Amino acid sequence: MKTKTNLAILASGNGSNFEAIIKAVKKGFLNLDYCILVTDKRNSFVRERAKKHQIKDIFVDPKKFKSKKDFDKKLIQILNKEKIKIVVLAGYMRILSPLFLNRFKNKILNIHPSLLPSFAGKNAIEDAYNYGVKVTGVTVHFVTQKVDQGPIIAQKTVFIKSNMELKELEKEIHKTEHKLYPKLLKKFLENKIEVKGRHVKVT
Ligand code: GAR
């Protein structure tokens, strides 16, 4: 059964995952009432993408807040005002405070460009490439206080072929992300994702 809802995408950079989600909404693959972009980077390319798709984008300047908690208080205020029910991180490079995590408990999804728990952190694609693993991939997970350690919803492998350039691998990872994230988000919107401790059932 399809349930409509309000969603906020938090992003800090290029925004290709943001755009993949918006395209899925426009195609009617994802059923949303309302979607906004929230960003912590004034000049991020994701804002251009939001403009192109006529998505409301809200920039919150971290420099204006004394602490991470104060910044997140402002985010919560904005999301409450916009009646947001689900938060999707798409290349959002700030760690969320416990305050924010509690407000949206089990309602925050993230995508990470490796097979977690391997290669957590900011440079996962390059780290996996440099390590010389033959298989890497993409993880969609719930966000909890332990960074990159929330319950895993789904993973998709990407093989690193011999002589593959880093650029090629990046392209392959992003292509995989753009398919996987909207697919899982659809399941979440349809209440087909159930989390029990570390275990996540997707039906
Ligand atoms: C994506 O590859 C995403 O998995 C990664 O940032 C990139 C954002 O790309 N996220 C992380 O590394 C989180 N730890 P995009 O701005 O083009 O969507």
Side-chain angles (χ1 to χ4, degrees):
M1 199 189 70
K2 284 186 174 179
T3 323
K4 287 199 167 193
T5 193
N6 290 352
L7 182 126
I9 301 176
L10 271 54
S12 305
N14 178 28
S16 66
N17 281 285
F18 164 83
E19 191 155 10
I21 292 167
I22 297 305
K23 281 185 177 165
V25 175
K26 291 201 161 171
K27 269 196 228 154
F29 179 75
L30 288 177
N31 198 20
L32 287 178
D33 274 326
Y34 181 57
C35 180
I36 61 166
L37 167 73
V38 179
T39 182
D40 59 329
K41 292 274 190 283
R42 189 191 301 275
N43 298 317
S44 51
F45 188 64
V46 66
R47 297 187 79 192
E48 300 295 321
R49 297 188 197 254
K51 268 191 208 102
K52 185 173 90 185
H53 290 283
Q54 293 167 322
I55 300 294
K56 180 170 179 176
D57 85 299
I58 301 172
F59 163 62
V60 188
D61 190 351
K63 288 190 202 105
K64 290 194 173 151
F65 300 87
K66 274 198 216 117
S67 65
K68 205 159 64 183
K69 193 175 168 187
D70 286 350
F71 178 83
D72 279 4
K73 266 188 193 163
K74 179 70 184 172
L75 286 196
I76 293 172
Q77 232 178 53
I78 292 168
L79 301 192
N80 284 344
K81 193 168 155 235
E82 301 282 345
K83 298 189 168 39
I84 298 301
K85 299 277 182 284
I86 294 174
V87 177
V88 169
L89 308 187
Y92 183 67
M93 292 312 196
R94 293 177 71 82
I95 293 169
L96 293 165
S97 63
L99 190 80
F100 190 96
L101 295 169
N102 288 331
R103 166 63 185 85
F104 290 98
K105 196 168 191 289
N106 291 339
K107 299 287 177 201
I108 312 171
L109 307 187
N110 183 40
I111 190 150
H112 184 81
S114 76
L115 296 175
L116 289 171
S118 292
F119 308 110
K122 280 187 180 168
N123 299 305
I125 305 177
E126 198 173 340
D127 290 348
Y129 184 84
N130 290 340
Y131 196 92
V133 292
K134 304 293 184 198
V135 185
T136 182
V138 170
T139 302
V140 176
H141 64 95
F142 284 106
V143 178
T144 58
Q145 289 200 24
K146 290 184 179 169
V147 179
D148 292 333
Q149 291 179 51
I152 291 171
I153 302 168
Q155 294 184 300
K156 188 99 186 147
T157 53
V158 171
F159 289 93
I160 305 181
K161 299 177 210 106
S162 44
N163 302 324
M164 199 176 195
E165 303 271 339
L166 174 60
K167 278 267 164 285
E168 256 181 281
L169 176 63
E170 283 169 351
K171 222 170 129 185
E172 204 53 45
I173 292 279
H174 294 312
K175 216 167 89 186
T176 306
E177 289 186 323
H178 302 159
K179 279 192 204 150
L180 189 68
Y181 217 4
K183 221 165 107 183
L184 268 301
L185 193 50
K186 184 179 168 75
K187 293 274 185 194
F188 196 55
L189 294 173
E190 293 173 353
N191 294 318
K192 289 179 176 168
I193 295 182
E194 199 188 326
V195 56
K196 272 192 193 146
R198 280 219 56 85
H199 296 272
V200 180
K201 201 166 109 188
V202 182
T203 50

